[in-house]
Amino acid sequence: MGTYIALFSNQDENLKYKYPNNKEASWILQIILNKHFPGYEREKTRNYISSLLNALNCEFTILFEEDENGISDHT
């Protein structure tokens, strides 16, 4: 579907934060969409991500979004 998902800790082994402005975020779920990937379907991908986030059953904050026009920072 052109969707890449990674889950990683906000802190590395030296306790350095990847996102220091969001220290309350213990885990980072990174989702990258390749809209030019063969078979990419916007609605199918949107539903998949929505069901994934609902299944996690925890609070989440969007740190940033990026598209063809650049990054939109949510911090």
Side-chain angles (χ1 to χ4, degrees), residues 5-20:
I5 299 174
L7 178 66
F8 54 91
S9 176
N10 194 16
Q11 286 184 293
D12 64 16
E13 60 275 353
N14 297 316
L15 302 180
K16 182 178 176 187
Y17 286 92
K18 178 156 179 79
Y19 297 99

Side-chain angles (χ1 to χ4, degrees), residues 34-59:
N34 183 343
K35 297 176 183 177
H36 305 290
F37 191 84
Y40 172 79
E41 296 178 37
R42 180 180 178 173
E43 197 59 34
K44 186 175 180 181
T45 300
R46 186 176 283 190
N47 290 340
Y48 173 72
I49 292 169
S50 179
S51 66
L52 173 66
L53 294 175
N54 287 334
L56 292 175
N57 196 27
C58 62
E59 233 179 273

Side-chain angles (χ1 to χ4, degrees), residues 21-46:
N21 291 335
N22 300 96
K23 292 180 180 177
E24 73 284 356
S26 301
W27 292 94
I28 305 298
L29 179 67
Q30 180 182 46
I31 302 172
I32 299 172
L33 303 178
N34 183 343
K35 297 176 183 177
H36 305 290
F37 191 84
Y40 172 79
E41 296 178 37
R42 180 180 178 173
E43 197 59 34
K44 186 175 180 181
T45 300
R46 186 176 283 190

